[in-house]
C-alpha cells in the first residue's frame, strides 16, 4: 500500500482559539488541524456548553425574582433595559415567563421583543442560552418567533447585555393575555395554546412588603414561596434558630414545611390556610423578615434543639435545578 502523504497546513491561516466557530461534530475543525471538530476544539466547546452554572442569574438586578419567575410563577412579565439601549427598530424588550407554542422568543409585528424564561435550554448556562436567544430576537424579522438552537460556548451572557443599574420589577398576571395585544388576529394554534395555559395557571401574587416572596393558591391550601439570597448553610442555621424557638411560622395555622433549591438559592415554603390570602401575608412576612435578620446575624453555636430543627429542615429540601 502506498504511504499516505502527510497533510500540510501551508497557506492556511491559523485561527486563535477564541476565533474558531462552532461546526458539526464530524466536520473538519476550522483551526486547520485536519482532525474532526469533535476530536479537536469541539472537546473544549462541548465541555463549556454542558458545564453547569449553579447561579446563572448571579450579578443581575433582582436575582431572586429571576429565580422565582423561572421556577415558581406561571404568568409574569418584566421590562428589560439593555446596555446602550435597544436598536432603533425595537420599541421594547420584555421578559415573559412563557410564550405560546413554547417559543424561546418572539419579535412582534411592531418590532418589540418578548423573551421566554421557562423554556428548555441547550447548555448548562441558562444565562448564556437566554442571551443568545435575545440577540437573535433583536435581529429577526418582525412578526416572527425565534427557534431554539445549540448555543456557542463563548457567547455573551445576560450579565453582558443587560443594564446592571436598571430596576427589575416583575408584573404578575392572572393569565397569559399579554401574549396577544390583538386577540382577534391570533392564529387558532396560539388561541388554543393560550386557553391551555390559562387553565393550568396557579393563581399567584407577589408580596409588596418583602422581596421575592410569592403567594399562591392551590385547591387544598395556599402557600408562600420566598426566594432568599443568603448562603444556604447560613440560612438553614437562621431558620433552625427560629423553628426551635417556635417563631418560624407566619401566624396561626401556618408552618414552615421545607424549602426548594433553585439556581443556587434557597426557597423556603410555608403552608397557609385556604382563607389566608396574599394581603393577609404582608404583615406576618415583614415581621418574619425582621426575626430572620436577627437570626442571620447570630454566630452562636446551634443548641441541641436547633440542630434537630436544622436536620428536619435539611431533610425537607427539594432541588428544582
Amino acid at each position: 500500500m502506498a504511504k499516505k502523504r502527510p497533510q500540510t497546513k501551508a497557506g492556511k491561516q491559523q485561527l486563535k482559539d477564541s476565533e474558531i466557530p462552532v461546526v458539526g461534530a464530524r466536520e473538519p475543525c476550522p483551526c486547520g488541524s485536519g482532525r474532526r471538530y469533535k476530536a479537536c476544539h469541539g472537546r473544549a466547546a462541548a465541555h463549556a456548553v454542558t458545564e453547569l452554572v449553579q447561579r446563572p442569574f448571579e450579578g443581575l438586578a433582582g436575582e431572586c425574582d429571576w429565580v422565582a419567575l423561572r421556577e415558581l410563577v406561571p404568568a409574569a412579565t418584566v421590562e428589560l433595559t439593555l446596555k446602550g439601549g435597544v436598536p432603533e427598530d425595537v420599541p421594547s424588550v420584555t421578559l415573559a415567563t412563557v410564550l405560546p407554542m413554547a417559543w424561546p422568543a418572539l419579535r412582534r409585528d411592531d418590532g418589540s421583543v418578548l423573551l421566554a424564561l421557562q423554556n428548555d435550554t441547550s447548555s448548562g448556562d441558562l444565562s448564556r442560552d437566554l442571551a443568545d436567544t435575545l440577540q437573535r430576537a433583536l435581529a429577526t424579522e418582525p412578526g416572527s418567533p425565534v427557534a431554539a438552537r445549540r448555543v456557542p460556548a463563548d457567547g455573551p451572557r445576560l450579565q453582558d447585555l443587560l443594564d446592571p443599574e436598571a430596576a427589575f420589577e416583575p408584573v404578575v398576571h392572572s393569565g397569559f393575555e399579554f401574549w396577544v395585544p390583538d386577540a382577534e388576529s391570533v392564529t387558532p394554534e396560539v388561541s388554543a395554546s393560550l386557553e391551555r395555559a390559562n387553565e393550568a395557571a396557579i393563581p399567584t401574587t407577589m408580596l409588596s412588603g418583602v422581596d421575592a416572596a410569592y403567594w399562591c393558591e392551590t385547591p387544598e391550601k395556599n402557600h408562600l414561596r420566598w426566594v432568599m439570597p443568603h448562603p444556604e448553610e447560613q440560612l438553614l442555621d437562621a431558620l433552625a434558630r427560629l423553628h426551635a424557638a417556635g417563631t418560624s411560622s407566619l401566624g396561626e395555622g401556618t408552618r414552615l414545611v421545607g424549602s426548594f433549591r433553585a439556581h443556587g438559592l434557597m426557597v423556603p415554603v410555608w403552608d397557609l390556610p385556604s382563607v389566608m390570602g396574599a394581603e393577609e401575608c404582608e404583615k406576618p412576612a415583614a415581621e418574619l423578615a425582621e426575626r430572620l435578620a436577627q437570626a442571620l446575624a447570630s454566630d452562636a453555636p446551634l443548641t441541641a434543639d436547633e440542630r434537630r430543627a436544622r436536620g428536619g429542615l435539611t431533610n425537607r429540601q427539594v432541588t428544582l435545578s
Side-chain angles (χ1 to χ4, degrees), residues 251-275:
E252 185 177 355
T254 74
R255 67 188 185 103
L256 174 63
V257 292
S259 62
F260 298 127
R261 288 192 189 96
H263 305 291
L265 298 181
M266 254 185 74
V267 188
V269 178
W270 285 263
D271 275 355
L272 313 173
S274 58
V275 296

Side-chain angles (χ1 to χ4, degrees), residues 68-319:
L69 267 57
R70 167 70 183 185
E71 299 295 339
L72 306 174
V73 181
T77 55
V78 186
E79 295 299 315
L80 298 180
T81 303
L82 275 58
K83 291 180 179 178
V86 295
E88 291 184 1
D89 60 342
V90 179
S92 62
V93 175
T94 302
L95 181 72
T97 46
V98 292
L99 291 177
M101 317 300 291
W103 290 327
L106 171 66
R107 182 89 185 272
R108 281 177 161 165
D109 291 336
D110 66 355
S112 60
V113 168
L114 289 177
L115 175 67
L117 181 57
Q118 294 183 9
N119 283 51
D120 293 335
T121 54
S122 62
S123 82
D125 186 352
L126 181 56
S127 177
R128 194 181 308 281
D129 291 330
L130 290 167
D132 179 78
T133 302
L134 174 56
Q135 285 191 312
R136 291 188 291 124
L138 293 170
T140 199
E141 290 294 322
S144 304
V146 176
R149 75 166 187 177
R150 179 188 174 194
V151 177
D154 58 351
R157 309 178 73 237
L158 288 174
Q159 288 82 347
D160 302 315
L161 302 183
L162 301 183
D163 183 351
E165 302 300 323
F168 189 80
E169 299 177 341
V171 176
V172 177
H173 304 275
S174 59
F176 295 88
E177 282 70 22
F178 64 86
W179 286 354
V180 286
D182 181 9
E184 295 181 356
S185 64
V186 300
T187 65
E189 291 81 4
V190 171
S191 180
S193 183
L194 173 61
E195 184 176 351
R196 289 193 299 270
N198 281 339
E199 289 176 354
I202 296 174
T204 301
T205 301
M206 180 175 66
L207 299 195
S208 60
V210 294
D211 293 334
Y214 292 81
W215 171 94
C216 68
E217 179 184 9
T218 61
E220 295 183 357
K221 61 182 68 175
N222 300 337
H223 305 279
L224 184 70
R225 301 179 291 191
W226 193 342
V227 187
M228 296 186 172
H230 317 290
E232 180 175 328
E233 297 303 313
Q234 181 185 5
L235 181 54
L236 280 170
D237 282 352
L239 290 173
R241 295 181 195 278
L242 297 183
H243 205 61
T247 59
S248 64
S249 75
L250 294 167
E252 185 177 355
T254 74
R255 67 188 185 103
L256 174 63
V257 292
S259 62
F260 298 127
R261 288 192 189 96
H263 305 291
L265 298 181
M266 254 185 74
V267 188
V269 178
W270 285 263
D271 275 355
L272 313 173
S274 58
V275 296
M276 189 173 186
E279 290 186 3
E280 288 76 24
C281 287
E282 292 284 2
K283 183 179 179 181
E287 294 171 346
L288 177 63
E290 294 180 0
R291 297 196 299 272
L292 181 62
Q294 294 176 358
L296 285 166
S298 174
D299 57 2
L302 295 182
T303 66
D305 287 343
E306 291 167 347
R307 289 196 300 272
R308 282 192 291 271
R310 192 186 196 281
L313 293 171
T314 302
N315 290 336
R316 296 194 297 275
Q317 282 186 306
V318 176
T319 300

